[in-house]
Amino acid sequence: MRIRKVMLRELAMRLIAPFETSNGVSYDRRILLVEADVDGVVGWAECVAGEAPHYGPETVETAWHVLRDHLWPLMKGKEFAAAAEASAMLESVRGHNMAKGALEAALWDAEAKQKSIPLWKLLGGTREEIACGVSIGIKESQDELVGAVKKELDAGYQRIKVKIKPGKDYEQVQRLRQDFPKIKLMVDANSAYRLEDWPLLKQLDAFYLMMIEQPLGWEDIYSHAELQKKLTTPICLDESVHTFEQARGALALGACKIINIKLGRVGGFTGARKIHDLCQENGIPVWCGGMLESGIGRAHNIALSTLPNFTLPGDVSASRRYWVEDIVEPEVVVSPQGTIRVPNGPGIGFEPRIDRIEKLTTRTELLA
Ligand code: OSB
Ligand code: MG
């Protein structure tokens, strides 16, 4: 295989409603798409870097720069046997996993399309349906939060994750447990706490949460290990795990009992599969996180979620929760049982809607 050219494209897409986490509010998304022409077959992917470097250090701007000026030169004109080789070819660039992950995932889509098989089968996925949860942003009031949870439960979602931050934590969760004693409930702090806050986090043990996601510093695996010793609630790491080595360190230290795998955060499918396999060997379940993606990124998340150790419901939900109109055909839909049927078409199995994509595009750059 050889990449003939790459189109970078930025889209302006407004979410249906603002999404608030402990590190800010997202509303107007800048969606960066990568279209890689591999021997005449075009693979699509989405770069999940944010508008601002608040979740991780990358942004749309840094990703664009790194894709154009550093990653593309490493691949340009190079012959390779499979998308699985791309990660190693990009190794001389340190970090910038979201930029790498986008290019890498586009190659996987292209390879699957060349072979006329679904991407999830090329990856070694084993399930035809994935279990879905939702991630609910921080709300003004408890009543508003309860209303949002009820709406998602009525839609069939199998587990509810709510964002927390200092001052919007214990009482919110207490209220949810009072109103919904039996649901699968978890919280995500996006690194809003310090180890010294452990007594407050310990109080959350009373609510038998499935897990608490990334309570402490985004690069602080050690403190999570200290915290996990104090809590019965399982810790799930998100922001802290970018590499196989960090995952191995986290497991060895006992810093978590669950890992949220995001394709972009770990640099693509090759990195994601390595962490997946490591967790599987160690009896650590994983689930697929989300980054407020358009349908393109969502499609890749669905494919990833078919791997066998994705045994917990992920944050992969319907297009309609985020977008008035998505950029793929069909849109991502969730069944009343809270599942997504995995598509059987070639590659990602969702068609990019070129007309709509063109309309939303704010800039493009051709790498050739
Ligand atoms: O921490 O999982 C997170 C969105 C943006 C950045 C970080 C996170 C999230 C979410 C939303 O929780 C998940 C989704 O796409 O539905
Ligand atoms: Mg998270």
Side-chain angles (χ1 to χ4, degrees):
M1 304 165 69
R2 191 144 53 89
I3 311 180
R4 308 295 153 149
K5 56 187 193 231
V6 174
M7 176 75 100
L8 302 182
R9 186 189 280 278
E10 183 178 333
L11 277 57
M13 290 177 73
R14 170 166 279 191
L15 294 168
I16 280 186
F19 186 87
E20 181 173 349
T21 74
S22 65
N23 43 41
V25 181
S26 292
Y27 196 13
D28 286 304
R29 299 283 346 270
R30 294 172 62 179
I31 300 285
L32 169 44
L33 299 182
V34 173
E35 294 169 57
D37 178 333
V38 183
D39 308 323
V41 175
V42 178
W44 288 79
E46 175 170 345
C47 178
V48 298
E51 294 74 39
H54 294 161
Y55 166 84
E58 295 179 84
T59 67
V60 174
E61 292 294 333
T62 69
W64 193 288
H65 154 62
V66 169
L67 278 159
R68 179 190 58 208
D69 299 329
H70 298 289
L71 301 180
W72 170 238
L74 291 172
M75 304 280 322
K76 185 178 174 176
K78 300 268 169 65
E79 193 58 44
F80 53 98
E85 293 179 3
S87 280
M89 296 168 74
L90 303 176
E91 228 165 42
S92 62
V93 170
R94 291 186 178 171
H96 298 283
N97 281 356
M98 293 174 175
K100 289 175 180 171
L103 182 56
E104 201 255 16
L107 303 182
W108 279 95
D109 180 35
E111 183 179 339
K113 282 174 175 152
Q114 278 177 2
K115 295 181 168 154
S116 294
I117 57 171
L119 172 58
W120 65 275
K121 286 198 176 152
L122 182 62
L123 290 166
T126 53
R127 57 186 98 238
E128 311 221 349
E129 203 169 56
I130 64 163
C132 307
V134 289
S135 174
I136 296 177
I138 293 168
K139 303 291 180 198
E140 273 294 314
S141 71
Q142 286 185 25
D143 288 345
E144 210 182 319
L145 179 60
V146 166
V149 169
K150 181 156 192 322
K151 179 173 167 219
E152 305 299 358
L153 292 171
D154 289 346
Y157 286 101
Q158 298 186 13
R159 76 97 170 96
I160 301 290
K161 155 171 146 183
V162 297
K163 296 288 188 178
I164 57 168
K165 66 175 181 182
K168 293 265 191 189
D169 42 35
Y170 182 81
E171 285 166 14
Q172 279 66 19
V173 180
Q174 183 178 44
R175 169 74 189 277
L176 290 179
R177 262 311 179 219
Q178 197 182 311
D179 289 19
F180 308 101
K182 292 197 176 143
I183 63 169
K184 284 186 182 155
L185 182 65
M186 59 174 286
V187 295
D188 185 359
N190 290 109
S191 298
Y193 299 89
R194 311 266 61 107
L195 184 55
E196 304 85 81
D197 299 321
W198 74 265
L200 177 115
L201 299 171
K202 178 77 192 156
Q203 284 187 297
L204 297 180
D205 274 349
F207 305 124
Y208 48 96
L209 301 172
M210 288 178 86
M211 68 193 90
I212 172 165
E213 185 179 345
Q214 194 69 38
L216 308 179
W218 75 282
E219 290 200 294
D220 191 358
I221 289 173
Y222 179 78
S223 292
H224 282 97
E226 292 297 299
L227 179 63
Q228 183 68 88
K229 287 182 202 155
K230 300 178 189 293
L231 304 184
T232 53
T233 306
I235 291 176
C236 170
L237 290 179
D238 175 354
E239 281 93 323
S240 288
V241 177
H242 311 100
T243 62
F244 172 83
E245 290 76 11
Q246 285 165 340
R248 191 171 55 190
L251 298 195
L253 282 171
C256 64
K257 294 179 179 168
I258 299 169
I259 291 183
N260 164 349
I261 299 184
K262 289 179 181 167
L263 201 50
R265 200 191 70 228
V266 302
F269 284 110
T270 296
R273 282 203 304 195
K274 279 169 71 179
I275 294 171
H276 164 276
D277 294 353
L278 173 77
C279 288
Q280 189 165 29
E281 285 154 21
N282 286 276
I284 299 287
V286 303
W287 54 278
C288 183
M291 291 291 289
L292 311 176
E293 291 94 343
S294 79
I296 303 283
R298 238 160 256 280
H300 283 278
N301 290 343
I302 292 167
L304 180 63
S305 304
T306 65
L307 294 178
N309 196 37
F310 281 81
T311 52
L312 298 171
D315 274 348
V316 186
S317 58
S319 300
R320 280 299 160 90
R321 293 192 62 246
Y322 292 102
W323 314 112
V324 173
E325 203 181 346
D326 205 342
I327 57 172
V328 293
E329 174 62 38
E331 296 201 339
V332 176
V333 293
V334 169
S335 74
Q337 290 72 42
T339 61
I340 293 174
R341 278 216 74 78
V342 179
N344 274 315
I348 57 175
F350 292 83
E351 262 328 293
R353 287 178 53 187
I354 306 295
D355 56 332
R356 179 143 178 82
I357 289 171
E358 290 281 356
K359 250 190 247 164
L360 297 168
T361 296
T362 54
R363 65 166 161 163
T364 58
E365 188 165 346
L366 184 67
L367 313 177

